[in-house]
Amino acid sequence: MELKKQHFLKSIENSKGIILSLCRVYFPDSEDQKDAFQDVILQLWKSFDSFRGDSELNTWVYTISIRTILNKIRKLKKSVSHDRLDGNLAVAIPLTDDNKELLNIIIQQLNEDDKALVVLFLEGYRNKEIAEILEITPTNVSTRLNRIKSQLKLKYNQTSDAVRRS
Amino acid sequence: MQLEDLKNSWHQYKFLNSINRCSSSEILAIIEGEVDKTDLRVKRFVGNLVMVLAIIMICQGG
């Protein structure tokens, strides 16, 4: 096997979980997930030469993966009806803790740009880093995150009230 | 409930997905498929170029 391929496989070995998670967050259908996974791997491979280790490997993987997935969704939106992409298909999140339902709701209800924002926030990136990955301004990141947090609070309170009443 | 509270859930989710990860041979098949496609494109381009050059030479009486 070529040295470059070996190096690539070794580099992304521990990042497959990130790629697969992102594919599952954005695509409810397993065939679409596989498709997206292949696209992301190809893009990572194509841009592997440009990765010089200036940024952390995971940051590079997140950057390429999110950009590839968002581009794929934009292309799909041109050819597929909008309903299919934003429909309420259940995202199978194999979690066992109490936050499973909430994470599920968030992932289903956010638009594709906000999903990326929330995922990067949950990953622990700071606003400046998120801004660089998503190619937006840190102010924009902060504003959008605050809006999402307020929405989340509201939704959670409504859900809690409904549970208490039943 | 804060968004921060979901950080653990996200890490758990990522961990579970990393268990079901695909093998290195599958990754290799994906990138080698692309390398083959690129080779094919180059071969087609060279073939077409040779054809065009041959036609130009014939048309010029060479």
Side-chain angles (χ1 to χ4, degrees):
Chain A
M1 200 195 316
E2 283 173 52
L3 205 65
K4 188 184 162 189
K5 283 178 192 167
Q6 264 181 342
H7 186 202
F8 177 74
L9 290 177
K10 205 176 162 191
S11 299
I12 65 157
E13 180 62 29
N14 295 324
S15 307
K16 289 176 197 166
I18 294 174
I19 304 168
L20 213 53
S21 300
L22 285 170
C23 292
R24 293 184 78 174
V25 160
Y26 279 96
F27 299 98
D29 181 72
S30 67
E31 282 306 309
D32 289 342
Q33 286 167 11
K34 277 184 201 164
D35 231 36
F37 185 80
Q38 286 195 358
D39 286 354
V40 170
I41 293 292
L42 274 181
Q43 278 309 316
L44 287 169
W45 169 245
K46 282 179 186 171
S47 57
F48 190 52
D49 286 335
S50 64
F51 174 65
R52 298 177 197 282
D54 297 338
S55 60
E56 253 189 64
L57 181 77
N58 279 352
T59 306
W60 175 70
V61 170
Y62 265 111
T63 307
I64 302 290
S65 304
I66 287 174
R67 287 180 191 171
T68 305
I69 289 172
L70 291 179
N71 278 337
K72 187 178 173 67
I73 289 174
R74 278 173 203 135
K75 276 182 200 162
L76 278 173
K77 272 192 170 175
K78 285 180 187 167
S79 57
V80 182
S81 72
H82 198 264
D83 292 347
R84 189 165 172 239
L85 290 164
D86 289 343
N88 286 324
L89 288 164
V91 181
I93 295 182
L95 292 175
T96 49
D97 69 4
D98 295 338
N99 291 333
K100 173 190 170 183
E101 203 61 37
L102 196 60
L103 190 60
N104 209 342
I105 288 168
I106 289 171
I107 287 169
Q108 280 184 60
Q109 294 191 349
L110 294 175
N111 68 41
E112 52 263 29
D113 292 323
D114 286 350
K115 273 182 195 174
L117 206 71
V118 168
V119 164
L120 292 170
F121 174 80
L122 294 178
E123 186 60 37
Y125 285 108
R126 285 168 297 173
N127 286 6
K128 196 179 165 230
E129 294 167 315
I130 297 175
E132 278 168 18
I133 294 173
L134 298 180
E135 296 177 304
I136 52 177
T137 63
T139 318
N140 199 344
V141 172
S142 171
T143 311
R144 281 162 64 178
L145 269 177
N146 283 336
R147 180 174 46 79
I148 294 166
K149 283 177 186 176
S150 311
Q151 284 174 352
L152 170 67
K153 218 171 184 174
L154 194 72
K155 261 174 204 155
Y156 182 73
N157 288 340
Q158 283 172 348
T159 313
S160 302
D161 286 348
V163 169
R164 268 198 296 270
R165 269 187 229 119
S166 62
Chain B
M1 167 59 67
Q2 302 288 319
L3 199 55
E4 284 84 352
D5 299 339
L6 296 175
K7 280 186 178 174
N8 281 340
S9 298
W10 171 251
H11 290 294
Q12 196 185 346
Y13 177 55
K14 219 172 54 175
F15 171 72
L16 288 167
N17 277 324
S18 70
I19 296 170
N20 299 325
R21 63 194 180 193
C22 70
S23 66
S24 294
S25 57
E26 285 174 76
I27 302 280
L28 205 58
I30 294 170
I31 60 174
E32 283 184 340
E34 181 62 15
V35 172
D36 288 346
K37 266 190 221 167
T38 311
D39 282 352
L40 193 68
R41 269 187 228 127
V42 171
K43 278 177 192 166
R44 271 189 200 156
F45 176 75
V46 172
N48 289 338
L49 190 68
V50 169
M51 187 83 82
V52 169
L53 289 175
I55 291 168
I56 291 171
M57 282 170 70
I58 291 165
C59 290
Q60 286 179 339

